Amino acid sequence: MKTKLERQPHPFNPKILARSVIALPLLEQIEREFTVTESIKKKYPHLRDTHNTAIFLQPKFPGGLKAALKTIRELLPQIATKVGAKTQPTVDDPDPIRISDDVALASIEGAIVRQLLRMVAAGKLPAIKCIWPTQFEVIIDINLDFKPLEMGSDSVTSGIEIKHPDPRRIAKVLIKKYIEKAKKAAGVTDQDQGVDEYKTELSNQYVFARLEGSVIKKLVDIDLRAAKSLVKKATAAKPEIVEQAVGRTGQATNKVIDATPTVETSRFRTIHHIWPDFELQNCITRSIRTIKVDAARNSFTASGEGITWAIMDTGIDALHPHFKLHQNIDASSPYHADFTDVPGGPKPLQDDFGHGTHVAGIIAGEQSVKEGSDQTKMFAVSHELDANNKPVIRKLQLDSISGMAPKCKLVSLKVLDEFGIGNASNVIAAISHVQLLNGYGRDLKIHGVNLSLGHTFDPNWFACGHSPLCTEVNRLVKSGVVVVIAAGNTGYGTLQTKEGTSDTCLDLTINDPGNAEYAITVGATHRDMPHKYGVSYFSSKGPTGDGRYKPDLVAPGEKIISCAAPNSELVQREPGSDECAYFENSGTSMAAPHVSGAIAAFLSIRGEFKGEAEKVKQIFTSTATDLGRDRYFQGAGLVDLMRAIQSV
């Protein structure tokens, strides 16, 4: 008997499509928290004088609430030292009479709270359920209609240079000013809340900030009031502006003044929209033959020489021997950058998580006994099943191992932290960094970018493929840079049926920024038998939320052997990996760099296509090998470097 799958759609809420400055789901979250905290403040107005944080303990923590509280208290001094806190954190016992038995009030610096939240997100601190007030990481989208009034000055623009060819620069300054006013109005003194100056300076379109809900609400209100004030000033200055523009006065001029349209408030609103800064996560040698890289290298010397690829990930271990032979990484290069803003300062060439180094080794680098590599540094650990279906760890001695484009130069743009987690704003800032290096397409220093990361798409937030991150990815492609993105590992899940639950492949699961139209979005296949086994069960499936074809290509993503960053999180998770220079990992994170490397190899011998990112995508999708699977599973098919080279 066939099991009938039952899909239960969510009821449509027209408010989702309503226009609001604060993204509606974010606003609802702020309002829920605000309602609770304000009621407590009214009952106990002096609590805020001695406490700035409420830690919600996890009731299901082993040992209960007391054990959870003890764990947090023991951990706090270490975190305070790590982040360089100026004051020691304190956490009270829960007050079940006034507050709740699972809420511990605390006095903690913002930098400590951030580190606690990183650990919670990474599953390293199950003792904490959540922390209030939530410090929302937000992306403030600047209003493109903003046109500052250039005549005179007032309390809004006082002290600000209001003449600039790009009004967005003025809007940025005003938004920063408004944020400081909003913090003061909300009674927030936490210095950790505010604008991320470095990332904001890199972007022309966005202001990146960390703010609690009350400050966000005040910010929007201040922006509106300032805009209304400027409308009055602009209206009063209209006769002077018109007379100056036409060069005369009199009755005819008065008629022109009367005919001018009403000054709209939107002209002076600096903020178009406030988005949440979505949390991104990583999408975790025989594969060279699978996509015909070996044949292309032997026939065309397609080695990636003269091509530079940026890895937006957890960093790259520049000291790994895999990158020594061809000097893939110039450790002194100013191109490397760290956007994670974690304690200890920028370290783009250190990989504490181990994901970026593994990805980088698939794209480029090489070790070979024939080329003089030290074979003692060429061990790999492999996990297999024996005849009794029991896991066996095997240590492999390699004679050679190579990335898809062994001579390609690599640039590390660190956007994920030591837990493999980061914000969308990190990637947006990294994209802006690439745009600056490339002169916005005029002089390509970086030819391609690999993004083995993402987050699940939710239509409540924005139209599919039109998030700030997807928008910036598309702009980067339009500037001539090839952008390769992992489709995601959310293609397998559980459906509710009338007879229970059913584990199955799921469509409509492409992750952002893989929904970006011009990016090359990559799903995963078996390492060396893709025709037999097809698309990996975990690989995210199309179409996109708005009905477009995705993924674009598939590539090997199962049990891929690549570089192991010593002492990193991923290496420590795998038994036996700590003694080896290489280890296995699986996911669309491993599939994407196969395509990045193949394209780097292609560009190294077909130089006329450098800067022609859209043509490159068309070449690779039109020459892919059909695996005979559904279009929304396999995309155009398996990437085929040999056929791509021969097609032009």
Side-chain angles (χ1 to χ4, degrees), residues 121-190:
K124 299 287 185 181
L125 190 51
I128 295 178
K129 187 176 181 181
C130 64
I131 298 177
W132 280 11
T134 303
Q135 292 188 14
F136 294 98
E137 302 276 354
V138 293
I139 299 173
I140 302 171
D141 197 349
I142 296 171
N143 177 21
L144 291 175
D145 292 331
F146 174 72
K147 296 292 183 293
L149 190 65
E150 295 185 1
M151 300 185 66
S153 180
D154 59 14
S155 59
V156 176
T157 57
S158 177
I160 297 173
E161 175 55 58
I162 57 175
K163 289 187 178 181
H164 194 285
D166 187 352
R168 292 176 297 179
R169 307 300 294 182
I170 304 164
K172 271 190 186 182
V173 176
L174 287 172
I175 290 170
K176 291 176 186 178
K177 181 179 178 180
Y178 296 164
I179 286 174
E180 291 306 311
K181 285 186 175 182
K183 284 178 63 178
K184 189 174 181 180
V188 173
T189 58
D190 181 8

Side-chain angles (χ1 to χ4, degrees), residues 201-212:
E201 189 59 33
L202 280 170
S203 173
N204 291 324
Q205 184 58 38
Y206 306 106
V207 173
F208 305 110
R210 182 184 308 108
L211 306 168
E212 63 181 72

Side-chain angles (χ1 to χ4, degrees), residues 474-608:
N474 285 333
R475 285 176 181 158
L476 186 59
V477 175
K478 285 291 186 181
S479 76
V481 178
V482 177
V483 181
V484 181
I485 303 177
N489 300 334
T490 53
Y492 184 77
T494 303
L495 287 178
Q496 182 67 43
T497 73
K498 290 189 175 181
E499 296 180 356
T501 59
S502 175
D503 293 336
T504 185
C505 290
L506 302 175
D507 56 4
L508 293 159
T509 50
I510 300 294
N511 287 195
D512 262 4
N515 285 305
E517 183 173 357
Y518 301 122
I520 299 175
T521 305
V522 185
T525 65
H526 190 271
R527 180 178 61 191
D528 44 19
M529 289 189 279
H531 291 272
K532 182 175 182 179
Y533 294 112
V535 179
S536 304
Y537 73 93
F538 56 78
S539 185
S540 291
K541 318 296 191 298
T544 62
D546 59 344
R548 287 176 288 115
Y549 280 130
K550 285 283 182 179
D552 297 297
L553 295 167
V554 289
E558 297 182 22
K559 297 171 70 67
I560 304 301
I561 293 177
S562 187
C563 302
N567 303 315
S568 62
E569 174 75 17
L570 288 182
V571 169
Q572 290 176 5
R573 286 181 192 174
E574 297 294 328
S577 297
D578 54 339
E579 299 177 358
C580 295
Y582 299 91
F583 76 118
E584 285 181 347
N585 210 346
S586 299
T588 56
S589 278
M590 283 63 252
H594 279 82
V595 174
S596 285
I599 294 174
F602 171 85
L603 291 175
S604 69
I605 61 166
R606 295 288 187 263
E608 64 188 292

